[in-house]
Amino acid sequence: MLAGFGYQALISIISHLIFIAVTWWALQSIRYEHLVKPNHIFQVRVLLVLVTIAIGSTVSNFFLDYLLWSQQLPTILN
């Protein structure tokens, strides 16, 4: 029983890291230079990191929920 929790935790960590990395890669295509005040580059980078974590975690949670629900679906037939 506890081994299942370990695998689930590992899959969750890997999923979050992958989706955060994909989100970071996708957000790099946005040209935000014209929206930034002069001398506020560091603040924009912090904002990009926070937005990346928020979007990546949300997408990862959706993926993990969908995976869990698809695993629970066969129990309807029992």
Side-chain angles (χ1 to χ4, degrees), residues 2-71:
L2 290 176
F5 288 123
Y7 288 123
Q8 184 177 2
L10 182 63
I11 290 171
S12 296
I13 290 170
I14 291 171
S15 173
H16 275 71
L17 291 176
I18 288 172
F19 282 108
I20 287 172
V22 168
T23 304
W24 177 258
W25 172 75
L27 286 177
Q28 294 303 304
S29 66
I30 297 174
R31 296 178 69 189
Y32 56 85
E33 294 87 14
H34 62 282
L35 300 174
V36 179
K37 292 180 182 179
N39 301 322
H40 288 89
I41 299 297
F42 181 74
Q43 291 170 326
V44 172
R45 288 186 181 161
V46 170
L47 179 64
L48 279 175
V49 168
L50 295 174
V51 168
T52 298
I53 293 170
I55 293 172
S57 296
T58 302
V59 174
S60 179
N61 283 332
F62 170 78
F63 173 77
L64 292 170
D65 284 343
Y66 193 83
L67 181 65
L68 177 67
W69 296 332
S70 66
Q71 290 174 346

